[in-house]
Amino acid sequence: MKRAKIDALLASDMPLDQVCIKGWVRTKRDSKTFSFLEINDGSCLANIQVIANEDLENYDDVVKATTGSSLSIRGKMIESPGKGQKYEIQASHIKIYNVAPDNYPLQKKRHSDEFLRTIAHLRPRTNKFGAAFRIRSEIAWAIHQFYHEKGFRYLNTPLITGSDCEGAGEMFRVTALDPALVQKLGKMDFEQDFFGQEANLTVSGQLSAEMFALALGDVYTFGPTFRAENSNTSRHVAEFWMLEPEMAFCDLEDNMDHGEELVKYLVNHVRNNCEQDLNLFSKFVDKSLPGLLDTLVNTTFERVTYSKAIEILKASKKHFEYEVSYGLDLQSEHERFLAEEYFKKPVFLTDYPKTIKPFYMRMNDDNETVAAVDLLVPRIGELIGGSQREERLEVLEGRMDEMDLPKEDYWWYLESRRYGSVPHAGFGMGFERFIMLVTGITNIRDVIPFPRTPGSIEF
Ligand code: 4AD
Ligand code: MG
């Protein structure tokens, strides 16, 4: 039986004469003739208290099962006379799987996030990280539910790719070339490599998703993406999960409507399904979290152009570390100022200069800006990045020439504009950033099981 089910069973007046729970000891207190064990089985935040009496046949061993030990307990659920819990288990049998020694690193006390990162293999056993990873799982599930309800098709795009979607060149190379051969030849001869050409880990499934949107209508991908950006920030990791919806017969406005609906749906889902875990974050991590979640669900997101945002930033007279100027990319401090301080809610920025955006974004009539959209949210900055796609073959080819992109490598992408091209749009939402948003966790390394960052691939 899982701890998470017990409250509901008790509420339905089920007799719980024989329950069995398997989990790990959080704490143990011994008195003369019995011990109290706080057991957590990972299914939810709450522990269950177990009373082990000295008449248990292996009581001497049970007494040795301190924090971190793994047990299976059978017994009867009784109303608890003590305070702190309504029910407890009067154990009739306890099986001990493993007794954790005294040097178990997670003794009952507060540990810093930095320390817990050094024991990422054990940190999901803490209240905070257990809650974060249960919420992560719940959001992943809600994403699929949202798209299934809307009739989108789920697509798996390749992780190994020959093309650079974002054109930023921040890719991890995939090769099977023998280093000895490379040394002998004095170069990487990709023709002799596994695929006969250069291959990389994908930075985005978008280009593939577009092909499927132009066949199935509405699709989404949800999977790992990889970026070799050497940026050691609290919002970047080298391997992260991205959700990418792509919708045919859809423009930039539809794209924003969709993004707003998605964010509201997911926040509602977490509020309705992760109450206990969410409370932990509101109480101990970020007291302003309930207010922010309210804002996300109940206010209409702002929509302004990039150039308007530049004006706002300039007029703010606020001191920024990085320069604000039309044509420069916004830094996270600018994005946060707009969402957190100026609008005090999520804001979609649209119509960025073409010079700071990738080749596939749809050219606006001014020939200077493209139909790009980023969603900026309080505390995080950019949560979503997307655009309406350039569906006009000649315009797309023109952009690729301007940007010096090898058109022959993208021949299949260009063919989609030759045969049955339609307006379409989509975006990417950083999954980890969304988890940060709804938990108040401020470092992306703490919302992904085993973070990959420059210089660090432990675990
Ligand atoms: O804005 P990005 O680069 O957009 C794309 O890759 C598009 N091809 C997506 C599309 O239109 N289908 O990335 C999308 C989102 C960002 O807004 C951010 O939330 C997240 O992915 N992201 C990262 N998250 C964690 N670590 C990183 N290094 C990230 N880079 C981007
Ligand atoms: Mg972006």
Side-chain angles (χ1 to χ4, degrees):
M1 171 179 291
K2 295 290 181 195
R3 172 66 183 90
K5 302 273 186 231
I6 289 179
D7 293 340
L9 289 172
L10 288 168
S12 67
D13 279 341
M14 281 270 291
L16 293 174
D17 289 346
Q18 269 301 319
V19 297
C20 173
I21 194 132
K22 300 175 182 186
W24 295 267
V25 178
R26 281 293 172 83
T27 56
K28 187 170 68 63
R29 283 179 294 131
D30 302 317
S31 74
K32 274 212 183 94
T33 56
F34 60 90
S35 300
F36 287 116
L37 300 156
E38 285 286 331
I39 303 294
N40 187 282
D41 71 356
S43 63
C44 64
L45 188 65
N47 301 328
I48 186 94
Q49 178 161 291
V50 172
I51 315 292
N53 263 310
E54 63 173 349
D55 49 13
L56 285 171
E57 54 187 12
N58 58 346
Y59 185 68
D60 292 348
D61 295 330
V62 170
V63 170
K64 292 179 200 136
T66 49
T67 302
S69 303
S70 43
L71 311 177
S72 161
I73 296 118
R74 268 193 291 136
K76 188 176 175 177
M77 188 75 72
I78 55 169
E79 269 185 57
S80 172
K83 54 177 195 299
Q85 66 284 320
K86 272 202 192 125
Y87 295 89
E88 57 195 22
I89 297 174
Q90 184 80 55
S92 50
H93 295 275
I94 293 184
K95 178 178 166 182
I96 302 169
Y97 291 94
N98 169 260
V99 173
D102 291 345
N103 61 359
Y104 179 58
L106 289 175
Q107 296 302 329
K108 184 126 182 135
K109 66 168 187 136
R110 256 202 138 129
H111 302 282
S112 72
D113 292 338
E114 289 74 19
F115 167 69
L116 290 172
R117 264 172 235 146
T118 68
I119 51 166
H121 58 304
L122 297 176
R123 67 180 180 168
R125 299 187 193 184
T126 64
N127 281 344
K128 179 174 167 184
F129 286 87
F133 290 116
R134 276 187 298 271
I135 289 178
R136 182 178 169 116
S137 160
E138 201 51 51
I139 300 170
W141 193 85
I143 285 173
H144 289 298
Q145 179 173 271
F146 174 76
Y147 283 107
H148 193 250
E149 282 170 9
K150 291 182 85 68
F152 279 54
R153 302 299 175 176
Y154 174 42
L155 176 68
N156 306 118
T157 50
L159 298 189
I160 303 179
T161 175
S163 46
D164 181 356
C165 168
E166 292 302 287
E170 288 155 342
M171 307 185 85
F172 286 103
R173 185 161 284 144
V174 176
T175 177
L177 280 178
D178 180 356
L181 178 71
V182 174
Q183 203 166 29
K184 203 172 102 196
L185 296 174
K187 63 168 186 162
M188 306 272 289
D189 183 359
F190 294 110
E191 277 178 22
Q192 295 197 45
D193 205 348
F194 189 90
F195 298 107
Q197 65 169 81
E198 268 192 78
N200 300 293
L201 290 180
T202 187
V203 296
S204 158
Q206 179 196 322
L207 303 188
S208 315
E210 281 188 52
M211 301 307 105
F212 275 74
L214 293 179
L216 305 184
D218 295 329
V219 299
Y220 71 104
T221 76
F222 180 35
T225 46
F226 308 86
R227 297 198 182 174
E229 303 165 86
N230 201 0
S231 48
N232 241 320
T233 80
S234 57
R235 285 172 314 281
H236 292 87
V237 272
E239 176 180 326
F240 62 100
W241 277 58
M242 210 201 285
L243 164 68
E244 297 184 89
E246 189 70 35
M247 297 157 288
F249 308 103
C250 178
D251 65 15
L252 195 65
E253 287 295 319
D254 303 325
N255 207 18
M256 287 187 273
D257 292 345
H258 180 78
E260 184 162 350
E261 189 186 343
L262 168 74
V263 169
K264 287 183 155 64
Y265 181 98
L266 296 180
V267 172
N268 267 322
H269 182 92
V270 173
R271 289 220 292 195
N272 296 333
N273 294 276
C274 310
E275 205 184 336
Q276 213 179 52
D277 287 329
L278 206 51
N279 280 343
L280 175 146
F281 291 103
S282 304
K283 222 165 134 184
F284 300 115
V285 176
D286 181 356
K287 295 223 162 28
S288 70
L289 187 60
L292 174 61
L293 298 184
D294 261 343
T295 304
L296 291 172
V297 170
N298 295 322
T299 64
T300 304
F301 298 178
E302 204 65 46
R303 299 179 184 194
V304 300
T305 61
Y306 164 90
S307 55
K308 175 78 190 160
I310 295 289
E311 280 171 32
I312 295 171
L313 288 165
K314 281 189 165 161
S316 75
K317 299 273 184 294
K318 199 175 154 87
H319 174 75
F320 293 113
E321 193 183 331
Y322 291 90
E323 187 191 345
V324 176
S325 167
Y326 187 94
L328 293 184
D329 221 347
L330 295 184
Q331 300 295 323
S332 134
E333 55 174 348
H334 310 132
E335 298 174 337
R336 289 186 57 178
F337 170 79
L338 291 166
E340 241 164 79
E341 296 180 45
Y342 190 83
F343 291 110
K344 299 191 167 49
K345 59 168 156 171
V347 49
F348 286 109
L349 292 200
T350 60
D351 306 295
Y352 285 70
K354 64 177 178 184
T355 47
I356 53 172
K357 288 292 182 186
F359 74 97
Y360 53 73
M361 296 193 175
R362 191 177 197 279
M363 185 62 65
N364 288 329
D365 292 342
D366 61 13
N367 240 331
E368 280 305 317
T369 60
V370 287
V373 61
D374 278 8
L375 176 64
L376 316 180
V377 296
R379 270 210 333 255
I380 312 287
E382 180 186 339
L383 172 68
I384 281 176
S387 72
Q388 184 171 340
R389 318 306 187 189
E390 184 54 77
E391 85 282 15
R392 299 160 296 185
L393 181 62
E394 324 73 63
V395 184
L396 184 59
E397 284 181 331
R399 278 299 287 149
M400 293 182 84
D401 287 339
E402 248 173 65
M403 296 174 80
D404 245 347
L405 285 169
K407 287 208 291 288
E408 58 284 4
D409 290 358
Y410 293 86
W411 66 271
W412 51 275
Y413 188 73
L414 291 166
E415 278 207 347
S416 70
R417 274 52 173 177
R418 194 166 287 128
Y419 308 126
S421 188
V422 300
H424 61 288
F427 60 75
M429 181 180 87
F431 185 47
E432 284 75 21
R433 293 199 186 171
F434 185 81
I435 303 167
M436 293 168 74
L437 179 68
V438 294
T439 56
I441 290 176
T442 51
N443 196 314
I444 196 166
R445 293 166 179 77
D446 297 336
V447 295
I448 191 163
F450 299 107
R452 271 75 180 95
T453 51
S456 160
I457 192 166
E458 188 79 44
F459 310 106

